[in-house]
Every structure is written in C-alpha cells, then in structure tokens.
Amino acid sequence: MIIETMKEKSMYQLQVENMSCGHCVGAVTKAVQAIDAAARVEVDLATKTVNIDSATALAPLKSAIADAGYPVTSAA
Ligand SMILES: [Cu+2]
C-alpha cells in the first residue's frame, strides 16, 4: 500500500454565497486546491453547495474560499 492512500479523507459540505458562473466554480476550486492539490471539489451553483473531498482540516479550506471572495455560510 502506498503511504498517500492511507491518509484519511473527509467529505465536507459547504454552503457558499456569491457563486454564479463557471468562473466562480473555477475560483472556488482553485482556492481549495491551493490548500490541498489533491482535493476533489464539486460545486452545485443551483444549491450554492460545495462538496469537498480532502485530507485537510475544514477550517483552512473555509478560510481559503472566503478569502477568494465567497462567504461560507455553513459547513459540515
Ligand atoms: Cu462567476
């Protein structure tokens, strides 16, 4: 088994404001992947939901998205 695959990943679901188009999806994805390049990010513009699959803690991911200009209103 390769070491990387042993890192435990978490699924986070965030509610994120201000996302309206493909550019926003790209910006949010880029902000998350600047923290964790291996993170999987799925954005649903209709429900303002961002699903993140990452081994990184939630707090720095939330900060990165907020700093990119997209306020996070809830996260779990
Ligand atoms: Cu946009």
Side-chain angles (χ1 to χ4, degrees):
M1 196 186 285
I2 301 166
I3 298 292
E4 271 78 4
T5 64
M6 294 172 67
K7 270 206 287 181
E8 204 161 312
K9 286 203 168 188
S10 302
M11 283 285 287
Y12 303 117
Q13 188 169 75
L14 288 67
Q15 290 297 122
V16 179
E17 296 299 317
N18 288 357
M19 301 188 300
S20 57
C21 69
H23 166 81
C24 302
V25 173
V28 167
T29 301
K30 213 173 131 188
V32 170
Q33 291 180 340
I35 304 293
D36 175 9
R40 216 163 46 79
V41 184
E42 276 172 29
V43 179
D44 185 336
L45 288 177
T47 59
K48 301 177 179 177
T49 302
V50 179
N51 289 303
I52 303 171
D53 195 0
S54 170
T56 305
L58 178 58
L61 299 175
K62 273 174 67 176
S63 303
I65 293 170
D67 289 351
Y70 303 94
V72 179
T73 55
S74 83

Coordinates of all heavy atoms in Angstrom, one line a residue:
M1 N 0.8 -1.2 0.0 CA 0.0 0.0 0.0 C 0.9 1.3 0.0 O 1.9 1.3 0.7 CB -0.9 0.0 1.2 CG -2.1 1.0 1.1 SD -3.0 1.1 2.6 CE -3.9 -0.5 2.6
I2 N 0.5 2.2 -0.8 CA 1.3 3.5 -0.9 C 0.8 4.4 0.3 O -0.4 4.5 0.6 CB 1.0 4.2 -2.3 CG1 1.4 3.2 -3.4 CG2 1.8 5.5 -2.3 CD1 1.0 3.6 -4.7
I3 N 1.8 5.1 0.9 CA 1.5 5.9 2.0 C 0.4 6.9 1.8 O -0.5 7.0 2.6 CB 2.8 6.7 2.4 CG1 3.9 5.8 2.8 CG2 2.5 7.7 3.5 CD1 3.7 5.0 4.1
E4 N 0.4 7.6 0.6 CA -0.6 8.6 0.3 C -2.1 8.1 0.4 O -2.9 8.8 0.9 CB -0.4 9.2 -1.1 CG 0.5 10.4 -1.1 CD 2.0 10.0 -1.1 OE1 2.3 8.8 -1.0 OE2 2.8 10.9 -1.0
T5 N -2.3 6.9 0.0 CA -3.6 6.3 0.0 C -4.1 6.1 1.5 O -5.3 5.8 1.7 CB -3.7 5.0 -0.8 OG1 -2.9 4.0 -0.1 CG2 -3.2 5.2 -2.2
M6 N -3.2 6.1 2.5 CA -3.6 5.8 3.8 C -4.0 7.1 4.6 O -4.6 7.0 5.6 CB -2.4 5.2 4.6 CG -2.0 3.8 4.1 SD -0.5 3.2 4.8 CE -1.0 2.9 6.5
K7 N -3.8 8.2 4.0 CA -4.3 9.5 4.6 C -5.8 9.5 4.5 O -6.4 9.2 3.5 CB -3.8 10.7 3.8 CG -2.5 11.2 4.3 CD -2.3 12.7 4.0 CE -2.0 13.0 2.6 NZ -1.8 14.4 2.3
E8 N -6.4 9.7 5.7 CA -7.8 9.7 5.8 C -8.5 10.9 5.2 O -8.1 12.0 5.5 CB -8.3 9.5 7.2 CG -9.6 8.9 7.3 CD -9.9 8.3 8.7 OE1 -9.0 7.6 9.2 OE2 -11.0 8.6 9.2
K9 N -9.4 10.7 4.3 CA -10.1 11.8 3.6 C -11.4 12.1 4.3 O -12.0 11.2 4.8 CB -10.3 11.5 2.1 CG -9.0 11.6 1.3 CD -9.4 11.9 -0.1 CE -8.1 12.3 -0.9 NZ -8.4 12.7 -2.3
S10 N -11.8 13.3 4.3 CA -13.1 13.7 4.8 C -13.9 14.3 3.7 O -13.4 15.0 2.8 CB -13.0 14.7 6.0 OG -12.2 14.2 7.0
M11 N -15.2 14.2 3.8 CA -16.2 14.8 2.9 C -16.8 16.0 3.7 O -17.3 15.8 4.8 CB -17.3 13.9 2.5 CG -16.9 12.8 1.5 SD -16.8 13.5 -0.1 CE -18.5 13.8 -0.5
Y12 N -16.6 17.2 3.1 CA -17.2 18.4 3.7 C -18.3 18.9 2.7 O -18.2 18.8 1.5 CB -16.2 19.5 3.9 CG -15.0 19.0 4.7 CD1 -13.7 19.0 4.1 CD2 -15.1 18.7 6.0 CE1 -12.6 18.7 4.9 CE2 -14.0 18.3 6.8 CZ -12.8 18.3 6.2 OH -11.7 17.9 6.9
Q13 N -19.4 19.4 3.3 CA -20.4 20.1 2.5 C -20.6 21.5 3.0 O -20.9 21.7 4.2 CB -21.7 19.3 2.6 CG -22.7 19.9 1.6 CD -24.0 19.1 1.5 OE1 -24.8 19.0 2.3 NE2 -24.1 18.3 0.4
L14 N -20.3 22.5 2.1 CA -20.3 23.9 2.5 C -21.4 24.6 1.7 O -21.6 24.3 0.5 CB -19.0 24.5 2.2 CG -17.8 24.2 3.0 CD1 -17.3 22.8 2.9 CD2 -16.6 25.2 2.7
Q15 N -22.0 25.5 2.4 CA -22.9 26.5 1.7 C -22.1 27.7 1.4 O -21.5 28.3 2.3 CB -24.1 26.8 2.5 CG -25.1 25.7 2.7 CD -25.7 25.3 1.4 OE1 -25.6 24.1 1.0 NE2 -26.4 26.2 0.7
V16 N -22.0 28.1 0.1 CA -21.1 29.2 -0.2 C -21.9 30.3 -1.1 O -22.6 29.9 -2.0 CB -19.9 28.7 -1.1 CG1 -19.0 29.8 -1.5 CG2 -19.1 27.7 -0.2
E17 N -21.8 31.5 -0.6 CA -22.5 32.6 -1.3 C -21.7 33.2 -2.5 O -20.5 32.9 -2.6 CB -22.8 33.8 -0.4 CG -23.8 33.4 0.8 CD -25.1 33.0 0.2 OE1 -25.6 33.6 -0.7 OE2 -25.7 32.0 0.7
N18 N -22.3 34.0 -3.4 CA -21.7 34.7 -4.4 C -21.2 33.9 -5.7 O -20.6 34.5 -6.6 CB -20.5 35.5 -3.9 CG -20.8 36.7 -3.1 OD1 -22.0 37.0 -2.9 ND2 -19.9 37.4 -2.5
M19 N -21.5 32.6 -5.7 CA -21.1 31.8 -6.8 C -22.2 31.9 -7.9 O -23.4 31.6 -7.6 CB -20.9 30.3 -6.5 CG -19.8 30.1 -5.4 SD -19.5 28.4 -5.2 CE -21.1 27.7 -4.7
S20 N -21.9 32.3 -9.1 CA -22.9 32.5 -10.1 C -22.6 31.9 -11.5 O -23.4 31.8 -12.3 CB -23.2 34.0 -10.3 OG -22.0 34.7 -10.6
C21 N -21.3 31.6 -11.7 CA -21.0 31.1 -13.1 C -19.7 30.2 -13.0 O -19.2 29.9 -12.0 CB -20.7 32.3 -14.0 SG -19.2 33.2 -13.6
G22 N -19.3 29.8 -14.2 CA -18.2 28.9 -14.3 C -16.9 29.5 -13.7 O -16.1 28.8 -13.2
H23 N -16.8 30.8 -13.9 CA -15.6 31.5 -13.3 C -15.5 31.3 -11.8 O -14.5 31.0 -11.2 CB -15.6 33.0 -13.6 CG -14.6 33.7 -12.8 ND1 -13.3 33.8 -13.1 CD2 -14.8 34.4 -11.7 CE1 -12.7 34.5 -12.2 NE2 -13.5 34.9 -11.3
C24 N -16.7 31.4 -11.2 CA -16.8 31.3 -9.7 C -16.4 29.8 -9.3 O -15.7 29.6 -8.3 CB -18.2 31.6 -9.2 SG -18.7 33.3 -9.6
V25 N -16.9 28.9 -10.1 CA -16.6 27.5 -9.8 C -15.1 27.2 -9.9 O -14.5 26.6 -9.0 CB -17.3 26.5 -10.8 CG1 -16.9 25.1 -10.7 CG2 -18.9 26.7 -10.7
G26 N -14.5 27.8 -10.9 CA -13.1 27.7 -11.1 C -12.3 28.4 -9.9 O -11.3 27.8 -9.4
A27 N -12.8 29.5 -9.5 CA -12.1 30.3 -8.5 C -12.2 29.5 -7.1 O -11.2 29.5 -6.4 CB -12.7 31.7 -8.3
V28 N -13.3 29.0 -6.8 CA -13.5 28.2 -5.6 C -12.7 27.0 -5.6 O -12.0 26.6 -4.6 CB -15.0 27.9 -5.3 CG1 -15.2 26.9 -4.2 CG2 -15.8 29.2 -5.0
T29 N -12.7 26.3 -6.7 CA -11.9 25.0 -6.9 C -10.4 25.3 -6.7 O -9.7 24.6 -6.0 CB -12.2 24.4 -8.3 OG1 -13.6 24.1 -8.4 CG2 -11.4 23.1 -8.4
K30 N -10.0 26.4 -7.3 CA -8.6 26.8 -7.3 C -8.2 27.2 -5.8 O -7.1 26.8 -5.4 CB -8.3 28.0 -8.2 CG -7.0 28.0 -8.9 CD -6.9 29.1 -9.9 CE -5.6 30.0 -9.7 NZ -5.6 31.2 -10.5
A31 N -9.0 27.9 -5.1 CA -8.8 28.3 -3.8 C -8.6 27.0 -2.9 O -7.7 27.0 -2.0 CB -9.9 29.1 -3.2
V32 N -9.5 26.0 -3.1 CA -9.4 24.8 -2.3 C -8.1 24.0 -2.6 O -7.4 23.6 -1.8 CB -10.6 23.9 -2.5 CG1 -10.4 22.6 -1.9 CG2 -11.8 24.6 -1.9
Q33 N -7.8 23.9 -3.9 CA -6.7 23.1 -4.4 C -5.4 23.8 -4.1 O -4.3 23.2 -4.2 CB -6.9 22.7 -5.9 CG -8.0 21.7 -6.0 CD -8.3 21.2 -7.4 OE1 -7.9 21.9 -8.3 NE2 -9.0 20.1 -7.5
A34 N -5.4 25.1 -3.8 CA -4.2 25.8 -3.4 C -3.8 25.3 -2.0 O -2.6 25.3 -1.6 CB -4.4 27.3 -3.4
I35 N -4.8 24.9 -1.2 CA -4.5 24.3 0.2 C -4.2 22.9 0.0 O -3.3 22.4 0.7 CB -5.8 24.5 1.0 CG1 -6.2 26.0 1.1 CG2 -5.5 23.9 2.4 CD1 -5.2 26.9 1.8
D36 N -5.0 22.1 -0.8 CA -4.8 20.7 -0.9 C -4.9 20.4 -2.4 O -6.1 20.3 -2.9 CB -5.8 19.9 -0.1 CG -5.7 18.4 -0.4 OD1 -4.8 18.0 -1.1 OD2 -6.6 17.7 0.1
A37 N -3.8 20.2 -3.1 CA -3.8 20.0 -4.6 C -4.6 18.7 -4.9 O -5.1 18.6 -6.0 CB -2.4 19.9 -5.1
A38 N -4.7 17.8 -4.0 CA -5.3 16.5 -4.3 C -6.8 16.5 -3.9 O -7.5 15.5 -4.1 CB -4.7 15.4 -3.5
A39 N -7.3 17.7 -3.5 CA -8.7 17.7 -3.1 C -9.7 17.6 -4.3 O -9.4 18.0 -5.4 CB -9.0 19.1 -2.4
R40 N -10.8 16.9 -4.0 CA -11.8 16.8 -5.1 C -12.9 17.8 -4.7 O -13.4 17.8 -3.6 CB -12.4 15.3 -5.1 CG -12.7 14.8 -6.5 CD -12.9 13.3 -6.5 NE -13.7 12.8 -5.4 CZ -15.0 12.9 -5.4 NH1 -15.7 13.4 -6.4 NH2 -15.7 12.4 -4.3
V41 N -13.2 18.6 -5.7 CA -14.2 19.7 -5.4 C -15.4 19.6 -6.4 O -15.2 19.5 -7.6 CB -13.5 21.1 -5.6 CG1 -14.5 22.2 -5.2 CG2 -12.3 21.2 -4.7
E42 N -16.6 19.6 -5.8 CA -17.8 19.6 -6.7 C -18.6 20.8 -6.3 O -18.9 21.0 -5.1 CB -18.6 18.3 -6.5 CG -18.1 17.2 -7.3 CD -18.8 15.9 -7.0 OE1 -19.9 15.9 -6.5 OE2 -18.1 14.8 -7.1
V43 N -19.0 21.6 -7.3 CA -19.8 22.8 -7.0 C -21.1 22.7 -7.7 O -21.2 22.4 -8.9 CB -19.0 24.1 -7.5 CG1 -19.9 25.3 -7.2 CG2 -17.7 24.2 -6.9
D44 N -22.2 23.0 -6.9 CA -23.5 23.0 -7.5 C -24.0 24.4 -7.3 O -24.3 24.9 -6.2 CB -24.4 22.0 -6.7 CG -25.8 21.9 -7.4 OD1 -26.2 22.9 -8.0 OD2 -26.5 20.9 -7.2
L45 N -24.0 25.2 -8.5 CA -24.4 26.6 -8.4 C -25.9 26.8 -8.0 O -26.2 27.7 -7.3 CB -24.2 27.2 -9.8 CG -22.8 27.4 -10.3 CD1 -22.7 28.0 -11.7 CD2 -22.0 28.4 -9.3
A46 N -26.8 25.8 -8.4 CA -28.2 26.0 -8.1 C -28.5 26.0 -6.6 O -29.3 26.7 -6.1 CB -29.0 24.9 -8.8
T47 N -27.7 25.1 -5.9 CA -28.0 25.0 -4.5 C -26.9 25.7 -3.6 O -26.9 25.6 -2.4 CB -28.0 23.5 -4.0 OG1 -26.8 22.9 -4.4 CG2 -29.2 22.8 -4.8
K48 N -25.9 26.4 -4.3 CA -24.8 27.0 -3.6 C -24.1 26.1 -2.7 O -23.6 26.5 -1.6 CB -25.3 28.2 -2.8 CG -26.1 29.3 -3.7 CD -26.6 30.4 -2.8 CE -27.3 31.4 -3.6 NZ -27.9 32.5 -2.7
T49 N -23.9 24.9 -3.2 CA -23.3 23.9 -2.4 C -21.9 23.5 -3.0 O -21.8 23.4 -4.2 CB -24.1 22.6 -2.3 OG1 -25.4 22.9 -1.8 CG2 -23.5 21.5 -1.5
V50 N -20.9 23.4 -2.1 CA -19.6 23.0 -2.5 C -19.3 21.7 -1.7 O -19.3 21.7 -0.4 CB -18.5 24.0 -2.2 CG1 -17.1 23.5 -2.6 CG2 -18.8 25.3 -3.0
N51 N -19.0 20.6 -2.4 CA -18.6 19.4 -1.7 C -17.1 19.2 -1.9 O -16.6 19.3 -3.1 CB -19.4 18.2 -2.3 CG -20.9 18.2 -1.9 OD1 -21.2 18.2 -0.8 ND2 -21.7 18.2 -2.9
I52 N -16.5 19.0 -0.8 CA -15.0 18.8 -0.9 C -14.6 17.5 -0.3 O -15.1 17.1 0.8 CB -14.3 20.0 -0.1 CG1 -14.7 21.3 -0.7 CG2 -12.8 19.8 -0.2 CD1 -14.2 22.5 0.1
D53 N -13.8 16.8 -1.0 CA -13.2 15.5 -0.5 C -11.7 15.8 -0.3 O -11.0 15.9 -1.3 CB -13.5 14.4 -1.6 CG -13.3 13.0 -1.0 OD1 -12.9 12.9 0.2 OD2 -13.4 12.1 -1.8
S54 N -11.3 15.9 0.9 CA -9.9 16.3 1.2 C -9.4 15.7 2.5 O -10.2 15.5 3.4 CB -9.8 17.8 1.2 OG -8.6 18.2 1.7
A55 N -8.1 15.5 2.6 CA -7.5 15.1 3.9 C -7.2 16.2 4.8 O -6.7 16.1 5.9 CB -6.2 14.3 3.5
T56 N -7.4 17.5 4.2 CA -7.1 18.7 5.0 C -8.3 19.0 6.0 O -9.4 18.6 5.7 CB -6.9 19.9 4.0 OG1 -5.9 19.5 3.1 CG2 -6.5 21.1 4.7
A57 N -8.0 19.7 7.1 CA -9.0 20.1 8.0 C -9.9 21.1 7.4 O -9.6 21.8 6.4 CB -8.4 20.7 9.2
L58 N -11.1 21.2 7.9 CA -12.2 22.1 7.3 C -11.8 23.6 7.4 O -12.0 24.3 6.4 CB -13.5 21.8 8.0 CG -14.7 22.6 7.6 CD1 -15.0 22.5 6.1 CD2 -15.9 22.2 8.4
A59 N -11.3 24.0 8.6 CA -11.1 25.4 8.8 C -10.2 26.1 7.7 O -10.6 27.2 7.2 CB -10.5 25.7 10.2
P60 N -9.0 25.6 7.3 CA -8.3 26.3 6.3 C -8.9 26.3 4.9 O -8.7 27.2 4.2 CB -6.9 25.5 6.3 CG -7.2 24.2 7.0 CD -8.3 24.5 8.0
L61 N -9.7 25.3 4.7 CA -10.5 25.2 3.4 C -11.5 26.3 3.4 O -11.7 27.0 2.4 CB -11.1 23.8 3.2 CG -10.1 22.7 3.1 CD1 -10.9 21.4 3.0 CD2 -9.2 22.8 1.9
K62 N -12.2 26.5 4.5 CA -13.2 27.5 4.6 C -12.6 28.9 4.4 O -13.1 29.8 3.7 CB -13.9 27.5 6.0 CG -15.1 26.5 6.1 CD -15.6 26.4 7.5 CE -16.2 27.7 8.0 NZ -16.7 27.5 9.4
S63 N -11.5 29.1 5.1 CA -10.8 30.4 5.0 C -10.4 30.7 3.6 O -10.5 31.8 3.1 CB -9.5 30.4 5.9 OG -9.9 30.1 7.2
A64 N -9.9 29.7 2.9 CA -9.4 29.9 1.5 C -10.5 30.3 0.6 O -10.4 31.2 -0.2 CB -8.7 28.6 1.0
I65 N -11.7 29.7 0.8 CA -12.8 30.0 -0.1 C -13.3 31.5 0.3 O -13.6 32.3 -0.6 CB -14.0 29.0 0.1 CG1 -13.5 27.6 -0.4 CG2 -15.3 29.5 -0.5 CD1 -14.5 26.5 -0.1
A66 N -13.4 31.8 1.6 CA -13.8 33.1 2.0 C -12.9 34.2 1.5 O -13.3 35.2 1.0 CB -14.0 33.1 3.5
D67 N -11.6 33.9 1.6 CA -10.6 34.9 1.1 C -10.6 35.1 -0.4 O -10.2 36.1 -0.9 CB -9.1 34.4 1.5 CG -8.9 34.4 3.0 OD1 -9.7 35.0 3.7 OD2 -7.8 33.9 3.4
A68 N -11.2 34.1 -1.1 CA -11.3 34.3 -2.6 C -12.5 35.1 -2.9 O -12.8 35.4 -4.1 CB -11.4 32.9 -3.2
G69 N -13.3 35.5 -1.9 CA -14.5 36.4 -2.1 C -15.8 35.7 -2.1 O -16.8 36.2 -2.5
Y70 N -15.8 34.4 -1.5 CA -17.1 33.7 -1.5 C -17.4 33.3 0.0 O -16.8 32.3 0.5 CB -16.9 32.4 -2.4 CG -16.6 32.8 -3.8 CD1 -15.3 32.8 -4.3 CD2 -17.6 33.2 -4.7 CE1 -14.9 33.2 -5.6 CE2 -17.3 33.6 -6.0 CZ -16.0 33.6 -6.4 OH -15.7 33.9 -7.7
P71 N -18.2 34.1 0.6 CA -18.5 33.8 2.0 C -19.1 32.4 2.2 O -20.1 32.0 1.5 CB -19.6 34.9 2.4 CG -19.4 35.9 1.3 CD -19.0 35.2 0.1
V72 N -18.6 31.7 3.2 CA -19.1 30.4 3.6 C -20.1 30.6 4.7 O -19.8 31.1 5.8 CB -17.9 29.5 4.0 CG1 -18.5 28.1 4.4 CG2 -16.9 29.4 3.0
T73 N -21.4 30.2 4.4 CA -22.4 30.5 5.4 C -22.7 29.3 6.3 O -23.2 29.4 7.4 CB -23.8 30.8 4.7 OG1 -24.1 29.8 3.8 CG2 -23.6 32.1 4.0
S74 N -22.3 28.1 5.9 CA -22.4 26.9 6.7 C -21.5 25.9 6.2 O -21.2 25.8 5.0 CB -23.8 26.4 6.9 OG -24.2 25.5 5.9
A75 N -21.0 25.0 7.1 CA -20.1 23.9 6.7 C -20.2 22.8 7.7 O -20.4 23.0 8.9 CB -18.7 24.5 6.7
A76 N -20.2 21.6 7.1 CA -20.2 20.4 8.0 C -19.4 19.3 7.3 O -19.1 19.3 6.2 CB -21.7 19.9 8.1
Ligands
CU1 CU -18.8 33.7 -11.6

